[in-house]
Amino acid sequence: MKKICFYSQVLFFGLVLFSGNTLIAQEKTKYLDAEQSDPIKMGWMKGSPPPADRIVRFEDGSFFQFPALRWSVAHMRQFAPSINVSHGLRNSRSLSSSINNGIDKVKFIPLGETNPITWAESLQKVYADGVIVMHHGKIVYEKYFGALTVDGQHAAMSVTKSFTGTLGIMLVKEGLIDPEKLVSHYVPELKNSAFGDATVRQVLDMTTALQFSEDYADPNADIWKFSAAGNPLPKPKDFNGPKTYYEYLPTVKKKGVHGEAFGYKTVNSDVMGWIIARVTGKTVAEVLSEKIWSKLGTDQDGYYLVDGIGTPFAGGGLSLGLRDLARFGQLILNDGKAGAEQIIPKSAIDDIRKGGNKEAFAKGGYPLLKGWSYRDMWWITNNDHGAFCARGVHGQVIYIDPKADMVIVRFASNPVASNGANDPYSLPAYEAVGKFLISNK
Amino acid sequence: MKKICFYSQVLFFGLVLFSGNTLIAQEKTKYLDAEQSDPIKMGWMKGSPPPADRIVRFEDGSFFQFPALRWSVAHMRQFAPSINVSHGLRNSRSLSSSINNGIDKVKFIPLGETNPITWAESLQKVYADGVIVMHHGKIVYEKYFGALTVDGQHAAMSVTKSFTGTLGIMLVKEGLIDPEKLVSHYVPELKNSAFGDATVRQVLDMTTALQFSEDYADPNADIWKFSAAGNPLPKPKDFNGPKTYYEYLPTVKKKGVHGEAFGYKTVNSDVMGWIIARVTGKTVAEVLSEKIWSKLGTDQDGYYLVDGIGTPFAGGGLSLGLRDLARFGQLILNDGKAGAEQIIPKSAIDDIRKGGNKEAFAKGGYPLLKGWSYRDMWWITNNDHGAFCARGVHGQVIYIDPKADMVIVRFASNPVASNGANDPYSLPAYEAVGKFLISNK
């Protein structure tokens, strides 16, 4: 029973791995819609005590089952240990607003459909919990739904990876990491793993060749072992697998040739997190705080979920406030500057924006994302606006459109994990809003 | 094994109960001194991964064993689930400083000793992690030691109770709670417990008559059941006791007559927390945020540790930043005003400051605290400066001296839990600094 609970709970950590759109077939299940599943109306964890059917738990995975997950994504640290990303003591940079009421009425045709819907309608389709659109550095749109409040924090899921990649390329530009060196140069513990003869650059761009199965139907899939290793709960007595991220990563085996194909595997981000921790002597949470979060003028601390020895989950464990996510997106769009302060070297942002290898990406299995690439753990659309983004399961996103001088950040709690469920109502929507803002001077 | 781990871990929650000075005999054990036990130098949880002998865990209680506890008190939520006390989006109120270098040299004679020591020396004796002295509303002294940083958060232990009591008396003054009503009027679930025929006032002043044993040598002591109930880890399969605070509290039996004697029992604070949650429909964490924390101009969020269903531990689970604790102390000293803003009604502060029943207190078993009383979960010294304080194990304190217009806040990690270990080096030190500041105009 105990053991079953432990293993069923790892589902949450497994889900974090899905940020692509083709990994699992889109569920045909009929879910409650956004309004029906409103987590505040449903009363999750509300009451002293809450009614028995409104209590959800980490240990049995119930906290991350739809529709309860709509509440849980805004309360992750209530379920598990976490490590702070301090915003320091400086006051926040004010975000000026110039709300554009036209955005709600912007129309677009969802991918694979024929009838247009509005931006406002699309937010219901993707179970948005909060959306901010920045244009010319100002908030032009800001809405909260579900369990998220303006002073709350929401799981960023795999958007976390883009933070890890950004810190990685910053350390490259600072000279602490040579991207052409082998991973094992920095983390000798990985010498005999798949990462032993991969370069840091291949890790940053996820062109490592890994034998890492994410087949949920297979109880022996690697994903389950990774998830179990990162689970912060005490391990069952008879547990004999790796017990932490740092015990798991050296067990990953190679399959194929590094550098040839994009393969979206969360373990790359955790290896990058390990390299960052090793070269700085600090946790990824401390590095993010020192290099970005305490300088950006954020309103709130962020936090990472951690494994059993306090290692932040660099592949998907970050939770943040929506306005702070918008500040971060704007920082990236502004070539690393916030106000007059150069927080991230422009050369690091340039490295992200130049994108990765398109041929390698094309082998990665993302037919909907034609012509895209992946660089420094960011998704590069290569569209005519030069847009690039950070993406996480259940609909988390930072979408940066340089031509429209626009940043869209969104937290969501779509019952379907895969972005395949969100992209049809999101990618054309972002483009439509970008065009609307350009034309709507 | 699993079961043993679970039970040994509850020690942490048990320790929170000790804020008195006579409950356990002072250990004779020789501990590493403050410098020898410096948690940063010792390297707890430092490294990727940390060395095996520097990893501590929640599940086996190792995180709260000295000297590791010196690190853990500044990282509580890294070990367990927690609920935020949001500071909101407003910028912090600036704290002006006028550092007085004379304070370090203030001398006093520790209780029970004959030779004077200095204030600076006393901080080592009590294993201080951080101290701020406010005088006339300005910081005149601010030091950090151990694992605490100016932007970090530290366990307040039973200082938490004074927050609970303050919220309680605020709700009384707002008319939401009638202190003369029976507890069972607000929380019918407590009708058949000791609290059923106690008044809210008796709970606030801890003059309830409870059969609640805190004998650590007795494995059947109530304290262990309370601690086990509040433990957020999944319960062992064969666990058949109360599983949450709200399941435990109705099991407390009466012993004696309510209102006659002060009895320092943590469960009173958790009952008060329950009443607060019930009348507001919110968690104590939300109420603290809304009524005080988001208005006070704090730098940081605070947080409570929670039980398995997310209930904040109102008796001892709060962690805060030291400067924010100073702001709170100053707010109490200023009759509930911060700047021009009346955050706590003056009548609530008056209620605290008038103190509780001294005769009842004298029966509570605190020979060192002669003439003191207990009111609204604050300790009232009744000395000639009208000082009153909040106290928590291992040396946490808010000490308010109205005559000296002084507030002292301190976080600490004394190896000895009981304040009996700190009081000899603290109570006369506070009085000496108060007198020094009055004379040192």
Side-chain angles (χ1 to χ4, degrees), chain A residues 75-96:
Chain A
H75 299 86
M76 297 298 277
R77 75 191 330 173
Q78 188 169 320
F79 294 99
S82 58
I83 185 170
N84 244 29
V85 178
S86 173
H87 74 295
L89 297 186
R90 73 182 288 163
N91 282 330
S92 58
R93 277 200 177 78
S94 67
L95 282 172
S96 49

Side-chain angles (χ1 to χ4, degrees), chain A residues 2 48 82 86 151 278, chain B residues 2 48 77 82 86 151 278:
Chain A
K2 202 70 204 303
S48 52
S82 58
S86 173
D151 66 345
R278 186 57 58 84
Chain B
K2 200 73 205 303
S48 53
R77 72 189 333 171
S82 58
S86 172
D151 65 345
R278 186 57 59 82

Side-chain angles (χ1 to χ4, degrees), chain A residues 216-382:
Chain A
Y216 273 66
D218 175 6
N220 292 314
D222 305 289
I223 181 187
W224 297 116
K225 293 174 196 153
F226 177 68
S227 303
N231 188 314
L233 288 178
K235 301 288 188 265
K237 198 181 165 185
D238 59 349
F239 185 85
N240 56 12
K243 293 191 173 75
T244 64
Y245 293 123
Y246 293 148
E247 286 187 18
Y248 179 81
L249 296 171
T251 72
V252 177
K253 298 274 173 266
K254 190 173 176 182
K255 185 181 180 184
V257 180
H258 295 317
E260 291 194 341
F262 171 61
Y264 185 77
K265 312 277 186 190
T266 295
V267 284
N268 285 297
S269 301
D270 287 289
V271 164
M272 197 61 228
W274 199 349
I275 296 170
I276 292 168
R278 186 57 58 84
V279 302
T280 61
K282 295 170 183 169
T283 65
V284 169
E286 290 169 293
V287 179
L288 177 54
S289 171
E290 288 180 17
K291 293 206 173 290
I292 300 177
W293 218 243
S294 64
K295 296 179 175 176
L296 185 53
T298 47
D299 291 312
Q300 301 186 70
D301 293 348
Y303 64 90
Y304 287 89
L305 300 185
V306 294
D307 71 5
I309 60 166
T311 309
F313 180 21
L318 192 57
S319 282
L320 302 167
L322 185 64
R323 286 183 162 211
D324 291 338
L325 192 68
R327 287 183 171 96
F328 178 73
Q330 190 68 41
L331 176 73
I332 301 292
L333 175 60
N334 289 355
D335 290 331
K337 276 177 97 166
E341 201 171 345
Q342 191 78 42
I343 295 173
I344 301 175
K346 180 173 184 301
S347 59
I349 307 294
D350 289 344
D351 195 273
I352 295 167
R353 287 184 60 175
K354 81 177 180 196
N357 184 319
K358 287 192 218 179
E359 289 71 39
F361 188 89
K363 296 176 191 160
Y366 292 85
L368 270 188
L369 308 183
K370 263 203 191 356
W372 288 38
S373 70
Y374 194 78
R375 181 77 171 176
D376 297 325
M377 302 189 179
W378 286 82
W379 302 80
I380 317 297
T381 72
N382 293 310

Side-chain angles (χ1 to χ4, degrees), chain B residues 82-99:
Chain B
S82 58
I83 186 170
N84 243 29
V85 178
S86 172
H87 74 295
L89 297 187
R90 72 182 288 164
N91 282 332
S92 57
R93 275 199 179 79
S94 67
L95 282 172
S96 48
S97 279
S98 171
I99 298 300

Side-chain angles (χ1 to χ4, degrees), chain A residues 46-51 55, chain B residues 189 244 246 274 278 309 311:
Chain A
K46 177 87 177 173
S48 52
I55 293 174
Chain B
E189 293 95 320
T244 64
Y246 293 148
W274 199 349
R278 186 57 59 82
I309 60 166
T311 309

Side-chain angles (χ1 to χ4, degrees), chain A residues 394-406:
Chain A
H394 299 287
Q396 326 314 320
V397 78
I398 306 172
Y399 184 90
I400 300 175
D401 179 337
K403 188 169 174 194
D405 197 11
M406 174 185 82

Side-chain angles (χ1 to χ4, degrees), chain A residues 49-241:
Chain A
D53 66 353
R54 288 296 180 265
I55 293 174
V56 289
R57 296 175 195 273
F58 184 74
E59 65 214 55
D60 59 10
S62 57
F63 85 116
F64 221 68
Q65 285 163 12
F66 183 85
L69 86 81
R70 301 208 63 198
W71 190 85
S72 302
V73 285
H75 299 86
M76 297 298 277
R77 75 191 330 173
Q78 188 169 320
F79 294 99
S82 58
I83 185 170
N84 244 29
V85 178
S86 173
H87 74 295
L89 297 186
R90 73 182 288 163
N91 282 330
S92 58
R93 277 200 177 78
S94 67
L95 282 172
S96 49
S97 279
S98 172
I99 298 302
N100 185 326
N101 292 314
I103 292 175
D104 265 336
K105 299 178 207 101
V106 170
K107 286 193 172 176
F108 68 94
I109 298 175
L111 298 179
E113 300 190 8
T114 48
N115 296 320
I117 66 169
T118 65
W119 169 262
E121 287 163 349
S122 77
L123 298 183
Q124 299 303 302
K125 292 273 189 191
V126 300
Y127 297 75
D129 292 328
V131 182
I132 289 177
V133 181
M134 307 280 293
H135 183 51
H136 297 327
K138 289 184 179 175
I139 294 177
V140 293
Y141 191 90
E142 182 174 17
K143 290 267 169 81
Y144 296 87
F145 310 92
L148 184 65
T149 56
V150 66
D151 66 345
Q153 297 144 319
H154 192 289
M157 309 306 286
S158 289
V159 166
T160 307
K161 295 178 172 69
S162 303
F163 281 84
T164 306
T166 302
L167 292 176
I169 190 64
M170 285 176 78
L171 293 171
V172 166
K173 297 304 175 186
E174 289 178 22
L176 260 80
I177 297 174
D178 177 349
E180 299 315 320
K181 284 234 163 86
L182 296 182
V183 169
S184 50
H185 173 78
Y186 296 104
V187 184
E189 294 95 320
L190 290 169
K191 192 168 173 49
N192 297 320
S193 77
F195 301 103
D197 64 347
T199 64
V200 175
R201 170 49 59 203
Q202 288 160 344
V203 167
L204 275 170
D205 296 352
M206 292 209 193
T207 58
T208 48
L210 309 180
Q211 183 181 320
F212 186 83
S213 137
E214 300 187 352
D215 179 1
Y216 273 66
D218 175 6
N220 292 314
D222 305 289
I223 181 187
W224 297 116
K225 293 174 196 153
F226 177 68
S227 303
N231 188 314
L233 288 178
K235 301 288 188 265
K237 198 181 165 185
D238 59 349
F239 185 85
N240 56 12

